[in-house]
Amino acid sequence: MMKKLVLMSMLVAWAVNVHSAELSKYTANKVQRAQSLQQQEKLNEAIEVLGGVNTSKAYDKAFVARMLGVFYWENNQKSLAIKNLDYAVSSGELKDTQAWVTERMLADLLLMDQQYKKALPHYYQLVKSIPKNEKGNELWLRIAQIHYQLSEFSSTLKAIQRYESYRQPDSLTPLSLKFGSQVQLKQWKSVIPTLERLIVLEPEKLIWWRQLVTAHLQLHQTKQALSVLVLADRKGFPLPEQDIMLLAQLYAKQGIPEQAAITLKRLSKANTDVDLLVEQAVYWQQAKEWQQSIFYWGKAAKVSPRYYWQEAQLLLQQKEYQLALASLAKVRDPKKKQAVLLAQAKAYYKLNRIEESLIKAKKANDITSTNETKGWINYLSNLRKVSEDS
């Protein structure tokens, strides 16, 4: 924008020559004197000369205000630059290209000064008639930026649509504005193609990949979210731990528990955090990798003894009866006392230790008599009698 306003200063010099016939002789002399001082980089003197112009002609006042606006800006006096350019524009005395360029200068300065609501009407006025040598796409981008700053996201998208009608190559600023507005408006279906364009522009930026995963999840597109995150992972991005956790969860939701367990193992606390140990145990169990599941249930149990019950259940399933008994002996949950006794009875039975099995079954029955406990007692008692008779 700085370059543009310097160019505007040059245009002022051009305008002095072109419109000198419209200025009074008195004002034209002052203007030419100020222009000469400006070219000698004597801005304060140039401003003093123009500030001393005393004329009743409306056009002369507007023209001088326009020049003062440029000089004040070059002198880092932004508020005075805006004040003079605003006067020049609102006077209505400047015509055609001269008027358009002046209003563009004012709009740009207001934008630079973050006076968004004041800048916006000027930009909308400018796009009504754009000179051939000016870029309409730049104006619509400015309009979009202002609407975004004002949290007017629907208007931002409309302005971006006008910007895109100029068929410019994709660039970061307009696409970022489009993406941010679509997110604010929860237009998730539209967010996805915008993010895909951003990824083409900046494939090395992990943020765009992560946002694309989020957009797919908002649409409950778990498979697509997994594909994007897997691709990002394979490209070697250093995924944050929360993304590694999400990757594991997505694998699980897609029915790939083994890969979910392998992914969880990458987390820094995978071997110490009890919740992560349990998740790994569950995923290996879902994958029917029984020994791996037993291993992780065992690690979880060492951190929190309540998980000895799950370890024992799998050991029984895998006919590791002696190991199951060792785990069952460590279960301390009073609510599981009867279930533990029955499990011990079954383990002893499988080890052909009938007497110990019967003792456990009777203790289980003493807690609550059920058909199952009574059935085990009758069965084991008959086995013992047959054994004694033989």
Side-chain angles (χ1 to χ4, degrees):
M1 193 176 294
M2 182 177 293
K3 288 181 179 178
K4 179 173 284 293
L5 286 173
V6 170
L7 287 173
M8 293 308 148
S9 176
M10 294 170 64
L11 284 173
V12 169
W14 167 80
V16 169
N17 296 323
V18 173
H19 296 277
S20 57
E22 298 180 38
L23 292 170
S24 67
K25 185 176 181 180
Y26 161 78
T27 302
N29 288 334
K30 292 283 188 178
V31 164
Q32 288 172 349
R33 172 65 180 152
Q35 179 192 356
S36 176
L37 289 167
Q38 183 256 358
Q39 289 172 348
Q40 298 172 49
E41 298 185 359
K42 297 179 179 180
L43 273 174
N44 287 326
E45 293 179 40
I47 289 169
E48 187 177 350
V49 168
L50 288 178
V53 172
N54 185 12
T55 179
S56 60
K57 289 189 64 178
Y59 178 77
D60 285 20
K61 289 180 179 179
F63 193 93
V64 168
R66 181 182 192 273
M67 280 191 74
L68 272 171
V70 174
F71 290 173
Y72 275 127
W73 182 85
E74 289 183 344
N75 208 35
N76 296 315
Q77 294 174 276
K78 193 187 300 181
S79 60
L80 286 172
I82 290 171
K83 180 180 178 181
N84 279 274
L85 289 172
D86 184 56
Y87 175 84
V89 170
S90 59
S91 71
E93 291 296 321
L94 304 178
K95 304 298 179 184
D96 303 325
T97 302
Q98 186 182 194
W100 194 96
V101 169
T102 306
E103 188 158 17
R104 173 67 190 270
M105 293 166 63
L106 175 60
D108 286 349
L109 277 176
L110 288 168
L111 176 57
M112 288 176 65
D113 202 40
Q114 299 182 6
Q115 297 187 45
Y116 302 124
K117 290 186 177 180
K118 289 184 178 180
L120 196 56
H122 291 292
Y123 280 115
Y124 273 115
Q125 183 63 33
L126 290 167
V127 294
K128 289 180 180 178
S129 58
I130 304 171
K132 289 182 179 180
N133 61 330
E134 295 291 336
K135 296 179 180 179
N137 59 297
E138 289 184 359
L139 294 172
W140 283 110
L141 184 57
R142 296 276 189 273
I143 291 170
Q145 289 172 315
I146 293 171
H147 280 304
Y148 192 85
Q149 289 294 332
L150 295 172
S151 298
E152 297 168 353
F153 302 114
S154 293
S155 296
T156 303
L157 290 178
K158 288 177 183 176
I160 289 295
Q161 188 175 12
R162 294 298 301 269
Y163 166 86
E164 289 182 334
S165 70
Y166 286 84
R167 301 191 180 281
Q168 297 296 302
D170 278 348
S171 58
L172 186 60
T173 298
L175 282 177
S176 297
L177 291 171
K178 188 174 187 178
F179 162 71
S181 299
Q182 289 168 336
V183 169
Q184 291 294 330
L185 296 170
K186 302 187 187 314
Q187 297 179 359
W188 301 111
K189 286 185 178 179
S190 299
V191 164
I192 288 172
T194 303
L195 280 168
E196 288 171 345
R197 290 163 67 186
L198 282 164
I199 286 172
V200 170
L201 273 183
E202 296 188 318
E204 75 288 353
K205 291 290 182 68
L206 177 59
I207 182 65
W208 303 132
W209 296 85
R210 296 180 73 196
Q211 292 287 358
L212 184 54
V213 170
T214 299
H216 281 302
L217 289 177
Q218 289 289 341
L219 294 168
H220 308 290
Q221 296 173 345
T222 308
K223 185 176 180 181
Q224 292 89 332
L226 175 60
S227 297
V228 172
L229 198 50
V230 167
L231 184 56
D233 192 35
R234 288 176 180 171
K235 283 182 174 290
F237 285 111
L239 295 183
E241 295 225 329
Q242 67 192 71
D243 285 358
I244 295 172
M245 175 72 81
L246 175 60
L247 181 57
Q249 293 168 348
L250 292 173
Y251 273 127
K253 286 183 179 179
Q254 286 301 302
I256 317 172
E258 181 177 357
Q259 196 61 47
I262 292 170
T263 303
L264 277 185
K265 195 174 181 180
R266 294 163 54 183
L267 296 171
S268 59
K269 295 183 179 179
N271 288 314
T272 56
D273 183 272
V274 67
D275 292 330
L276 291 177
L277 289 168
V278 167
E279 275 196 75
Q280 290 173 87
V282 168
Y283 289 149
W284 283 120
Q285 194 165 332
Q286 290 173 352
K288 298 183 180 180
E289 294 286 348
W290 310 118
Q291 292 305 316
Q292 286 276 37
S293 185
I294 289 168
F295 173 77
Y296 281 99
W297 281 124
K299 293 193 76 168
K302 287 175 184 175
V303 180
S304 181
R306 67 181 181 272
Y307 295 113
Y308 278 116
W309 173 249
Q310 283 85 349
E311 181 190 38
Q313 293 294 296
L314 272 187
L315 286 167
L316 285 171
Q317 177 188 303
Q318 294 307 108
K319 302 180 181 180
E320 299 280 356
Y321 302 118
Q322 200 64 53
L323 291 173
L325 285 170
S327 292
L328 288 167
K330 297 173 184 176
V331 178
R332 295 288 180 261
D333 187 352
K335 295 178 181 179
K336 283 191 167 58
K337 189 172 182 180
Q338 186 181 46
V340 167
L341 287 166
L342 271 174
Q344 289 172 325
K346 294 172 185 177
Y348 280 124
Y349 165 71
K350 290 293 185 179
L351 292 169
N352 203 30
R353 293 159 65 175
I354 305 302
E355 191 64 34
E356 290 164 288
S357 179
L358 182 56
I359 291 169
K360 296 296 182 182
K362 286 180 177 179
K363 286 183 177 181
N365 191 64
D366 289 342
I367 295 173
T368 303
S369 181
T370 65
N371 289 335
E372 185 178 11
T373 57
K374 287 186 287 187
W376 270 103
I377 291 170
N378 290 334
Y379 178 69
L380 293 168
S381 295
N382 288 334
L383 276 180
R384 185 176 63 175
K385 185 177 180 182
V386 170
S387 177
E388 289 172 351
D389 290 345
S390 62

